[in-house]
Amino acid sequence: MPELPEVEIVKRGIETAVFAGHDSEVIQSLVFNRPNLRLPLPQDLPKQIKGQAFSQFYRRGKYIIALCENGHGFILHLGMSGVVKIIPRGELYESIKHDHVVFKMKNGAHLVFNDPRRFGFLKAVSEDTWQEDSAIAAMGPEPLSNDFNGPILAKALMDKRTPIKTALLDQSVVAGIGNIYACEALYMAGISPQRLATNVRGKRAERLAQAIITVLKKAIESGGSSLKDYYHADGSLGYFQHSFQVYDREGDMIDGQFPVKRIVQAGRSTFYCPAKQS
DNA sequence: CTCCTGTCCTGCCGGC
DNA sequence: TGCCGGCAGGACAGGA
C-alpha cells in the first residue's frame, strides 16, 4: 500500500524504536533470508553495518534512507506489499513467510522487512552518495516541503501530454504520490483525471497542489493518531485504515446522488466522480 | 525524446 | 467447499 504517508509513518516508527535508548540503535546482525527482492540484496551490507549504530533516517518520496555512524547505509523501498515489523526488546521473534530481511538489534529488538510480492528493494548506499542514487536523483519536489506549490507543479506539468492522473504517478513530477492519493487529490481539487496534464495550470494547478498537500498531511495525521506508537499489535508498520472519498468506492454516491466511477488509465484503476470533477 | 504496455511476484476475493 | 480468473497501493525495460 505504501505511498508517501505510509512510508512516512514507517520511517517514524523505525526512528521511535531505534532511538529509544539502551543500545536500541546498535545493529548486532543483519540477515538476508533470500538472495534478492526486486533487486539483488547487497551481500556486503551485513558486514559493513554489523556492530554499527543507526545515526539517521530520511524519507524521500516513497523511499526510506537509513544511515549508520560509519557512513554505510541503505535505501529501502516497500514496493506494493512491503511492511516493516518491529518486535520490541524482550519479545520473541518468530519468523514467518516472506520475512526476507531481519535486523537484530543489540538490545534484543528485531526490525523485519516482510514483502510477499518482492517488488520492494534494499540497496546499499553511503552517507556521501545516497542523494546521487538514480532513484533519488530523478525525483521531483517533496510535496510537503517549501519546494512544492502551484506554480512549481504547473511548470512540471506543462510539457506533459498524458492525462493528469497519469502524470501524478510520475515520481519526477512530484515525489511520493501513488494510485490512491492521485485519485483523492484530484477529487479534492475538482479536476478530472482525464484532463490533459498540460491543461492543469494557474488556479487549477494551485488547487491541485493544495489538495495534494492536504490529502497527504491528513493521511499522515490519521496514521499517526490511529496507531499506537505507529505500529500495530502484530508489530507491522505501514498498513492503516483510511476512509477514502473515491478510491475503491466504485458505485458509491457522493452527496447521495453522484456516483463514483472506475476507469483504467495507463493500466491502473482510477476512481473519480464525473459530476464533481472537470 | 515521450508515452504506453507488459512484466516482475504472491495473495486474496468473487464467481461458478 | 474448491478452483480459477482477475486484480492489487510500484517501478522499470522495451517498443512504438
Side-chain angles (χ1 to χ4, degrees), chain A residues 16-37:
Chain A
T16 301
V18 160
F19 296 131
H22 305 290
D23 283 339
S24 58
E25 76 281 18
V26 179
I27 300 158
Q28 186 170 96
S29 66
L30 165 59
V31 173
F32 298 143
N33 288 324
R34 52 172 298 122
N36 64 293
L37 298 174

Side-chain angles (χ1 to χ4, degrees), chain A residues 112-148:
Chain A
V112 181
F113 181 54
N114 180 292
D115 184 12
R117 289 174 76 181
R118 306 206 301 273
F119 287 1
F121 65 76
L122 190 148
K123 203 170 171 180
V125 293
S126 79
E127 185 174 13
D128 299 327
T129 59
W130 68 267
Q131 296 180 73
E132 296 152 28
D133 182 273
S134 56
I136 303 286
M139 209 155 9
E142 274 299 311
L144 301 183
S145 77
N146 291 332
D147 298 334
F148 182 70

Side-chain angles (χ1 to χ4, degrees), chain A residues 3 62 153 156-187 191-200 208 212 263-272 277:
Chain A
E3 301 182 30
K62 300 172 195 170
L153 177 60
L157 296 173
M158 194 168 53
D159 296 329
K160 293 251 159 215
R161 323 240 159 247
T162 53
I164 181 62
K165 155 63 163 37
T166 308
L168 289 178
L169 297 182
D170 180 343
Q171 301 298 295
S172 71
V173 169
V174 51
I177 313 265
N179 209 33
I180 291 178
Y181 296 106
C183 294
E184 293 294 308
L186 286 168
Y187 171 75
I191 296 169
S192 167
Q194 293 173 303
R195 175 177 286 275
L196 277 186
T198 187
N199 293 334
V200 177
L208 182 53
I212 288 168
I263 58 174
V264 175
Q265 296 180 286
R268 315 282 306 272
S269 289
T270 297
F271 299 89
Y272 75 117
Q277 297 173 251

Side-chain angles (χ1 to χ4, degrees), chain A residues 10 13 19 55 82 104 113 170 192 217 222 234 245:
Chain A
V10 169
F19 296 131
S55 57
K104 185 174 184 188
F113 181 54
D170 180 343
S192 167
K217 277 190 176 167
S222 76
D234 70 353
Q245 299 298 309

